[in-house]
Amino acid sequence: MNKSVQVSILVPVKNAELYIGRCLRSLLNQSFDRDNYEIILINDGSTDKTEQAIKMFMGDIVYIKNKKNRGLPASLNIGINKSRGQYIVRVDADDWVHPEFINILYLHLNLNPDLHAVACDYNLVDNRQRVISTENCEKKPIGCGIMFHAMHLVDIGLYDKSFLAREEEDLILRFKKKYKLTRIPIPLYRYRKHNNNLTNKKKIMKKYFKKISSKYKKKR
């Protein structure tokens, strides 16, 4: 049986050859004990040079390659099911994190047993890694930089695979019905803003906003 770890970091990736190296270097440069966390990278049908870009990291990550494109929520579920950690946190392939990212989120959860998940603030950065703004994760939430108890994610049924956008909104709405999510007001996450961000694709975002509205309106 594989030895368990404290934290599993999920990195879903599709066509991120330009960014994935920066992301993985930041995850390998954590102050947290390296033996106590794992990095699970899920390659969801990349057609660029992503696989070449991660070759040098293969000995340091758990690598999962989907045989066909499964979509972001399905890929995250695959990673969760593969994980060995007590806690789960997602970091997107085009982003990176502060060296204390894992340590601070882990300590906050581990020392506060009444909490079930913690999210940190983040810096919005451009492609030159310059800080555009510092954002409050409660006022402007994103799907990354949130550490959950793995068992609670399993309890709520993981990600809904039908949400190919706004998957994190659906997850958090379900999560908050049973569990408590709190904020750490420290910008430990670096959220890269570029033209390929899914949040820039207004038609897709609008479609899944309607889907969320419809899903939760029916349950009232």
Side-chain angles (χ1 to χ4, degrees), residues 162-167 169 196-212:
S162 69
F163 279 88
L164 299 182
R166 298 187 182 272
E167 76 293 327
E169 293 177 41
N196 292 326
N197 287 133
L198 183 58
T199 49
N200 293 330
K201 299 176 181 178
K202 293 182 179 179
K203 278 189 176 180
I204 295 175
M205 297 301 288
K206 186 175 181 181
K207 173 184 175 181
Y208 286 98
F209 175 76
K210 289 181 179 178
K211 183 176 173 68
I212 281 181

Side-chain angles (χ1 to χ4, degrees), residues 131-149:
V131 175
I132 300 169
S133 61
T134 298
E135 302 295 347
N136 180 317
C137 64
E138 289 182 341
K139 293 180 179 178
K140 293 186 178 180
I142 54 175
C144 318
I146 309 170
M147 186 175 286
F148 299 90
H149 278 272

Side-chain angles (χ1 to χ4, degrees), residues 17-30 37 39 53 56-57 60-61 93 95-99 129 192:
E17 62 174 290
L18 297 177
Y19 310 121
I20 189 61
R22 181 70 180 88
C23 174
L24 292 177
R25 285 193 298 274
S26 77
L27 297 178
L28 290 168
N29 191 36
Q30 293 294 295
Y37 73 97
I39 302 165
M56 69 178 70
F57 301 100
D60 296 306
I61 64 174
D95 303 333
W96 72 97
V97 296
H98 188 278
Q129 302 184 18
R192 190 192 297 265

